Amino acid sequence: MKLKLKLPNPGLDERIPSHAELDKLEVEEAGERPQWDNKAQYMLTCVGFCVGLGNVWRFPYLCQSHGGGAFMIPFLILLVLEGIPLLHLEFAIGQRLRKGSVGVWRSINPYLVGVGIASMLVSFMVGMYYNTIIAWVLWYFFNSFQDPLPWSQCPINENRTGFVSECERSSPVDYFWYRETLNTTPVIGDSGGLQWWIVLCLFCAWTLLWVCCLRGIETTGKAVYITSTLPYLVLTIFLIRGLTLKGSVSGIKFLFTPDLDELLNPATWLDAGAQVFYSFSLAFGGLISFSSYNSVHNNCEQDAVIISVINGFTSIYSAIVIYSIIGFRATQRFDDCLNGNILALLNAFELSEENITESNYDSVLQHLNSTSPAVIQDLQLKTCDLQTLLSQGVEGTGLAFIVFTEAITKMPIAPLWSVLFFIMLFCLGLSTMFGSVEGVVAPLQDLNILPKKWPKEVYTGLVCFVSFGFAIIFAQGSGEYWLALFDGFAGSIPLLIIAFCEMMAVSYIYGIDRFNDDIKFMIGHKPNFFWQATWRVISPLIVLVIFLFYLVTTVSKELTYIAWDPESENFPTLATRSYPDWIYIIIFILSGVPALVIPAVALYKLIRNRCCRTEEKHAAELLYSISDKIQIEPERAVQPITAKALN
Amino acid sequence: MLTAVLLLILLPPMVAQDLCKDSTDGFKVRLSIKTALGDNAYDWNESEMFLFQSTLAFAMRRHTEQDTYNIANILVCNNTPRVSFVFVVTSPDDPTKLIPKEQVEEAVRKSKHRINSAFLLSDMTLEFIGIPPTLATPITYDTPPWLIVFGVVIGAVAVGILALLMSTVSKRRRAKNKDAGFAEEDDGRVKENGTALSSLGGKDGVYNQAFSNDDRFTQL
């Protein structure tokens, strides 16, 4: 059944290698394009790219805040309907057209080059701030080699009578994160100068990345043996450790307690869709690049399914581990709170220590309240509730650098757990960065902006160096606010637009029939009805819905950020501030430029073609007069003559 | 006569009690033995109180460097089941005169660690209300440990980069030498056979980039 809906796309056959040419390439092994050493490297690299920090610190939070076990339902449904089809699409198109993102879209239609450039810009911007998070992870890693850990106690003030006031009012972990690591300023406009230790860590992060990406997949292929497998080992170690701690099971139970009412809330489905989409690192261009280094007959369908399953499994596994540790921390806090109350009561009423224990606390409190309520009032006892403590869900950097580090300080042999945890975060982040760098370097090579004879080392070095230069803005006092800004705007909206354009381009401009034939040529059988339905209708629809909702919510609400301000009223609660006006320009650059590049480049090409059409006409006539008349086998004839004629 | 004698005997303790209860130079002490020691907790009894008085006398001796302080100089009152009480220190020369608060505070702070150890307690569990604990000096390092680890990592990375770059350079040099070698061989072969095509290596020919499908249209 030939689908009628297909946009006209002249000259497609000349731009892409035919099936016969692909087979020839396979046999002759054109040495120019790099290749994977073995399948395992390819799979580990893709798994590493997809599995990142988001699996560890975003998914558990979403799970817990959207009804625990019930969240699995929208997550798994959208994984199947949105994640797997998009992944298969990117793998297949990269493997078929054997180019990076810019090359692929240029081959499909020169007007679509903007999609590739948008991917490159987004990869660049996301890579910039993502590596800064890795720099922070490195800072904590470097600081883990001491006992006691520096974030386990407050520093002492000058006259040695007590702790530093900012630390006393908040907590040692908060103080270490906001003051000693970031040295945050109260507002985003206040730069606060460069923090030299963060600059050093940034430098370390970028050089580490460069050494792993130095020769492209030749070096990353070796690095991923460690960076992609180590996180699973560490997660397992933490799971075993976590399950032996008091209170961990209550954390896991809390995480998975299903609240089916949440399924009726549209925000749950939107968050699940967004999580699946971003978790798969789609639309960055990196996956297309990686897949283009495969052999032509690699089974991309199987790869897509395997990687999706691994990604989903990793999310759930790390959620279990994280919440076992959070359960432990919540139980510790609960015990501390309760013991504090008990001590206050004992001191106020001069009772012997055995009179009040954790078990009879409630009854004793009631009794004392009835006899002397005034005293109880004065004491201002805190309410200690385990459920409230468990539901203090945190995500993102707060989870890793505040909540988890606090939990680690309460474990025996804390430095060991700290080192393990931050190595795991480092590996998770670095393997994602490999894909980001690939998503910038491959388009750069395809665009021919830089001289072609420059070796790969120079390309990767240049990308790392320039990114490091720009990332210095995150090393300022206000760096964390800038990072939150980038996180919110550089990666969210443009990626959705790019993914939507990708699906439309492949389904309707490249032609779903041609795509089906390609896949049949590559893996031996035509994609079944599930793939057809998802590629053509379901996945683009889901992406469109998520995009619209995102756009509406972002545009309608006032943009705010949360700031750490020791002088604010509710300190240590973070203060909500609204952005200054000039930030909107930055937001436009982050979100708008990649999105607008797509139509802008198409328009530019259109104008250039219009004004240069006269020259092409002459060339076309020459073409029709010679090659049309001579019937020679496609392999040798047409190409040499037209090449000479046009060049 | 008898009453006079009785008064004389009972007066000092009564005066002592008054001194302890009424004075402003006293400190309240609170012990949390069960919290600190759990199952190994000892009971608070007269002997423990005796030990406390003797440690305080020791503290006073240490601070003032007068060997005249004795247990009789440490007066205790307001005992509660919590294990908290108030104590005052009387001067060894004149039992009716009290040592001022500041002096007692200094003496306690100086010997706090010794007093804590005597009772197997800590600053948190043996509290002198009104005397803040002197916090231990934080450990200072000459070089912060993180810089050491950073140096190690950067050193390893630098070695890695140099090694990889060196290997690339040497690979390229070897490839260049090989090409030069082939070129000489080709000339020789052409001379032998006289055909240009025999200079192509291999049976299937060399993949000529000029005839490839890439670079078809002008780039962006």
Side-chain angles (χ1 to χ4, degrees), chain A residues 313-559:
Chain A
F313 161 75
T314 310
S315 293
I316 299 175
Y317 190 51
S318 56
I320 297 177
V321 174
I322 297 285
Y323 263 83
S324 73
I325 306 287
I326 286 187
F328 160 69
R329 172 183 172 265
T331 312
Q332 287 285 88
R333 284 204 150 184
F334 175 73
D335 285 344
D336 286 341
C337 174
L338 200 61
N339 285 332
N341 284 354
I342 292 177
L343 196 69
L345 281 176
L346 287 176
N347 289 348
F349 290 96
E350 302 286 4
L351 303 164
S352 167
E353 283 175 288
E354 295 126 344
N355 282 13
I356 312 182
T357 59
E358 286 176 23
S359 38
N360 64 5
Y361 170 76
D362 290 312
S363 49
V364 170
L365 181 64
Q366 252 186 332
H367 173 247
L368 289 173
N369 212 359
S370 50
T371 51
S372 35
V375 184
I376 301 280
Q377 196 88 340
D378 276 334
L379 284 177
Q380 292 180 326
L381 297 171
K382 292 182 267 189
T383 35
C384 304
D385 180 26
L386 188 60
Q387 292 300 312
T388 327
L389 287 168
L390 280 171
S391 65
Q392 276 170 359
V394 201
E395 54 160 337
T397 51
L399 176 67
F401 298 119
I402 298 179
V403 171
F404 217 81
T405 46
E406 187 188 332
I408 286 176
T409 56
K410 299 198 184 353
M411 295 191 220
I413 328 173
L416 170 71
W417 305 112
S418 181
V419 165
L420 275 177
F421 178 64
F422 289 111
I423 278 194
M424 175 184 85
L425 287 187
F426 172 72
C427 287
L428 282 172
L430 194 70
S431 51
T432 309
M433 282 306 297
F434 293 156
S436 251
V437 168
E438 180 68 28
V440 179
V441 168
L444 267 183
Q445 287 181 310
D446 283 340
L447 283 174
N448 293 326
I449 298 175
L450 306 167
K452 236 193 163 78
K453 60 175 162 62
W454 281 9
K456 188 82 174 241
E457 288 88 341
V458 177
Y459 272 98
T460 47
L462 196 68
V463 168
C464 288
F465 182 71
V466 171
S467 298
F468 169 62
F470 277 105
I472 296 278
I473 52 168
F474 300 121
Q476 297 170 82
S478 51
E480 207 240 335
Y481 307 136
W482 284 99
L483 198 130
L485 186 72
F486 269 68
D487 191 24
F489 295 104
S492 49
I493 296 198
L495 284 173
L496 290 163
I497 298 178
I498 295 172
F500 183 76
C501 290
E502 281 185 6
M503 282 188 282
M504 293 290 110
V506 170
S507 297
Y508 302 110
I509 301 182
Y510 185 71
I512 196 77
D513 303 316
R514 184 187 282 267
F515 195 52
N516 288 335
D517 290 336
D518 287 337
I519 294 182
K520 182 162 180 200
F521 164 71
M522 290 196 290
I523 64 178
H525 60 266
K526 210 173 128 175
N528 60 31
F529 176 71
F530 166 74
W531 302 111
Q532 308 297 324
T534 46
W535 283 333
R536 281 188 227 170
V537 176
I538 301 180
S539 300
L541 204 63
I542 295 176
V543 169
L544 189 68
V545 167
I546 297 176
F547 167 68
L548 286 173
F549 267 97
Y550 245 57
L551 198 64
V552 165
T553 46
T554 315
V555 167
S556 59
K557 71 166 189 252
E558 200 205 336
L559 297 169

Side-chain angles (χ1 to χ4, degrees), chain A residues 59-281:
Chain A
F59 178 78
Y61 167 75
L62 284 177
C63 205
Q64 171 259 307
S65 64
H66 283 297
F71 185 74
M72 296 295 163
I73 300 174
F75 180 71
L76 290 172
I77 291 178
L78 287 168
L79 186 94
V80 167
L81 290 179
E82 184 198 350
I84 305 185
L86 269 167
L87 202 62
H88 188 198
L89 188 116
E90 291 211 351
F91 281 164
I93 203 75
Q95 195 172 301
R96 167 68 180 90
L97 298 178
R98 318 201 68 68
K99 294 263 172 63
S101 62
V102 161
V104 155
W105 306 116
R106 185 199 292 138
S107 302
I108 292 183
N109 193 313
Y111 289 114
L112 289 176
V113 174
V115 179
I117 296 180
S119 283
M120 180 178 84
L121 288 174
V122 171
S123 281
F124 178 72
M125 287 196 285
V126 171
M128 224 160 74
Y129 81 78
Y130 208 81
N131 218 27
T132 311
I133 300 179
I134 296 181
W136 292 340
V137 168
L138 278 178
W139 162 258
Y140 269 80
F141 172 72
F142 295 150
N143 273 296
S144 303
F145 286 92
Q146 45 186 295
D147 193 13
L149 293 168
W151 53 84
S152 59
Q153 59 210 24
C154 277
I156 300 178
N157 59 16
E158 292 95 36
N159 44 4
R160 289 178 62 194
T161 50
F163 299 119
V164 171
S165 141
E166 191 181 344
C167 186
E168 185 96 55
R169 288 185 288 156
S170 52
S171 75
V173 276
D174 281 315
Y175 181 77
F176 187 78
W177 171 237
Y178 286 108
R179 189 53 52 210
E180 295 195 24
T181 307
L182 301 172
N183 201 7
T184 352
T185 53
V187 280
I188 193 170
D190 186 3
S191 149
L194 286 181
Q195 317 303 322
W196 63 270
W197 55 93
I198 299 291
V199 177
L200 281 182
C201 291
L202 260 177
F203 175 73
C204 187
W206 281 106
T207 43
L208 259 168
L209 182 64
W210 187 38
V211 87
C212 291
C213 291
L214 198 69
R215 285 203 220 125
I217 62 168
E218 211 181 305
T219 39
T220 62
K222 312 279 186 313
V224 287
Y225 282 120
I226 301 177
T227 61
S228 292
T229 51
L230 193 66
Y232 291 97
L233 182 67
V234 174
L235 275 175
T236 313
I237 295 175
F238 264 98
L239 183 67
I240 300 171
R241 169 75 269 204
L243 288 175
T244 57
L245 293 169
K246 176 187 176 199
S248 54
V249 180
S250 57
I252 300 178
K253 260 195 276 194
F254 180 78
L255 172 72
F256 285 122
T257 314
D259 177 11
L260 290 163
D261 292 331
E262 280 285 338
L263 290 179
L264 301 169
N265 180 8
T268 308
W269 291 87
L270 278 166
D271 279 338
Q275 173 63 13
V276 165
F277 181 75
Y278 295 125
S279 162
F280 275 86
S281 305

Side-chain angles (χ1 to χ4, degrees), chain A residues 33 36 94 99-101 285-293 438-439 442-443:
Chain A
R33 197 154 186 83
W36 296 107
K99 294 263 172 63
S101 62
L287 288 171
I288 299 180
S289 260
F290 286 145
S291 161
S292 71
Y293 303 131
E438 180 68 28

